[in-house]
Amino acid sequence: MSIHHLVRSNILRLTPYASARSEYKGRADIFLDANENPFDTGYNRYPDPLQWKVKEKIAELKGVSREKIFLGNGSDEVIDLLIRIFCEPKEDHIIILPPTYGMYRVSADIADVAVREVPLGARFQPDVDAVLNAADAHSRLLFLCSPNNPTGNSFPMETIGRLADAFPGITVVDEAYIDFSAQPGSLSLLDQHPRLVVMQTFSKAWGLAGIRLGMAFASEEIIGLFNKVKPPYNVNQLTQEAVLKALGNPGQQRQWVHSLLGQRTLLAQYLGGLDFVERIYPSDANFLLVKVREPRRVYDFLAGRGIIVRDRSRVALCEGCLRITVGTPEENEQLFRALVEF
Ligand SMILES: *Cc1c(COP(=O)(O)O)cnc(C)c1O
């Protein structure tokens, strides 16, 4: 089944920006086509617009073919492109399941695309029937964040599969925290679900938030649309080099994840012993959502000691909650000492 009918007509008609460079790569010696400075600085040439070396490494690691991968300037760019490809401003809308990540709404607001909210239900799980009831022919994107930010829980694969089957638009699963999760993730659903996009990022488990690199996995048809719309050189040379270096040593990532999961358990145990802590939600991510008495006072007390956490206490369904990122053992120790003092 084609996804043609879901794509904005101006995007279908678009003639993308073309650089002649890729046609001649490896078959020419003198490049006088792009007005670059010819003197070698290591960075005087434009980078590979499709980042094939990086994609080959990611394909190997994830077991997904390189043609089904898109790389963006952070997941933020992936979210923005999805909205610009699929949502006609003032006509179409996206569906989000609050409480969730803030960028879906911000990107939609910037594009003048409406947002329908279907709040998460019991145990912060999607209400599948409510989501499908909210959907109509103008529902172009459904954002499922699993593990979800800020609640920390994952959605069962079965729920994601059911929604991807029945939602008439594109289902987007944001797996920014998947490396910390006990769940297997949704990449294995891609082959059966032509309208599914799975997003991951190098910003969390890989320790590379500073290089800005997000991934999207989808059918070749959807990846082709991303490539048509993206700025030609959206992932710069320094980023491509830094990620290749990291991908050359995946053991480091696994070691960090192992350490952070141990620290997450320890932190939850510590927090559970404090009398002003009312609830610690189960987490599949590198943070804990913690319900406390007097959240603002706790927040200010910590800030006064130079420790910044995220105040989510005024977010619907997160009343009284702080979101605390798992730090290094030393940082977690200092956090705990400050909380004991509080
Ligand atoms: C941190 C985070 C991201 C990462 O965004 P980048 O632009 O890749 O840094 C994406 N989604 C969620 C839900 C996040 O919490």
Side-chain angles (χ1 to χ4, degrees):
M1 195 184 94
S2 169
I3 51 149
H4 234 69
H5 64 289
L6 297 171
V7 182
R8 290 170 69 201
S9 54
N10 64 313
I11 302 299
L12 290 174
R13 284 194 309 269
L14 178 72
T15 306
Y17 179 83
S19 92
R21 181 71 50 89
S22 41
E23 295 170 39
Y24 294 102
K25 191 101 208 229
R27 296 198 286 128
D29 301 314
I30 300 175
F31 288 101
L32 304 177
D33 60 319
N35 300 345
E36 297 147 329
N37 183 325
F39 299 106
D40 189 3
T41 63
Y43 298 101
N44 55 314
R45 298 295 177 186
Y46 282 104
D48 176 3
L50 293 172
Q51 313 96 25
W52 285 120
K53 274 194 194 142
V54 179
K55 285 179 183 171
E56 265 155 33
K57 283 282 178 199
I58 295 172
E60 211 176 289
L61 186 76
K62 305 283 179 185
V64 175
S65 79
R66 60 178 209 166
E67 288 78 15
K68 293 185 173 173
I69 303 173
F70 171 77
L71 298 178
N73 190 340
S75 308
D76 294 343
E77 184 180 33
V78 178
I79 296 165
D80 178 62
L81 289 174
L82 281 166
I83 290 174
R84 288 195 284 142
I85 291 167
F86 293 106
C87 303
E88 195 60 44
K90 296 182 178 20
E91 281 180 27
D92 298 325
H93 58 261
I94 67 167
I95 297 184
I96 65 171
L97 279 48
T100 192
Y101 188 45
M103 275 311 287
Y104 315 135
R105 170 177 282 285
V106 172
S107 289
D109 284 349
I110 290 169
D112 205 5
V113 165
V115 178
R116 281 192 190 170
E117 297 194 341
V118 182
L120 292 171
R123 288 172 300 107
F124 296 128
Q125 290 298 322
D127 180 339
V128 173
D129 292 332
V131 172
L132 296 178
N133 284 335
D136 60 34
H138 286 290
S139 305
R140 290 302 160 90
L141 298 168
L142 167 63
F143 283 96
L144 304 175
C145 187
S146 178
N148 187 41
N149 178 3
T151 60
N153 62 297
S154 303
F155 306 156
M157 199 114 73
E158 197 247 356
T159 305
I160 293 170
R162 269 171 70 204
L163 284 167
D165 258 339
F167 180 69
I170 305 286
T171 298
V172 184
V173 187
D174 184 346
E175 296 191 335
Y177 299 98
I178 195 63
D179 297 305
F180 302 104
S181 176
Q183 302 267 348
S186 299
L187 289 178
S188 64
L189 298 177
L190 278 178
D191 287 338
Q192 308 99 271
H193 297 276
R195 285 172 284 112
L196 182 65
V197 175
V198 178
M199 299 197 312
Q200 295 184 4
T201 180
F202 285 92
S203 293
K204 307 286 155 67
W206 288 90
L208 292 171
I211 71 169
R212 311 305 303 129
L213 192 64
M215 297 167 260
F217 303 90
S219 69
E220 287 183 41
E221 189 179 5
I222 294 177
I223 298 300
L225 290 164
F226 276 119
N227 288 336
K228 198 173 173 187
V229 174
K230 79 185 186 81
Y233 307 107
N234 62 325
V235 177
N236 71 71
Q237 185 72 34
L238 292 164
T239 294
Q240 294 189 42
E241 287 171 8
V243 78
L244 281 171
K245 189 160 161 244
L247 286 165
N249 182 16
Q252 174 64 260
Q253 187 257 37
R254 282 194 294 271
Q255 190 192 316
W256 282 327
V257 169
H258 180 79
S259 157
L260 291 168
L261 293 184
Q263 288 293 306
R264 184 179 78 192
T265 305
L266 208 60
L267 196 57
Q269 278 169 7
Y270 283 164
L271 294 170
L274 299 170
D275 64 355
F276 61 93
V277 171
E278 297 181 335
R279 190 158 182 190
I280 303 155
Y281 290 91
S283 174
D284 260 334
N286 65 333
F287 58 82
L288 290 171
L289 187 71
V290 183
K291 186 170 185 182
V292 296
R293 237 181 289 134
E294 303 182 284
R296 196 63 214 180
R297 273 192 62 215
V298 178
Y299 178 90
D300 288 338
F301 183 87
L302 289 174
R305 275 158 185 70
I307 301 172
I308 311 303
V309 298
R310 193 93 154 114
D311 182 3
R312 301 281 79 184
S313 62
R314 282 170 305 252
V315 173
L317 303 180
C318 294
E319 290 84 1
C321 289
L322 302 175
R323 192 194 68 195
I324 304 176
T325 307
V326 180
T328 63
E330 297 73 27
E331 289 171 335
N332 302 331
E333 177 74 34
Q334 285 194 48
L335 167 76
F336 184 61
R337 268 197 253 125
L339 288 172
V340 167
E341 205 184 315
F342 177 84

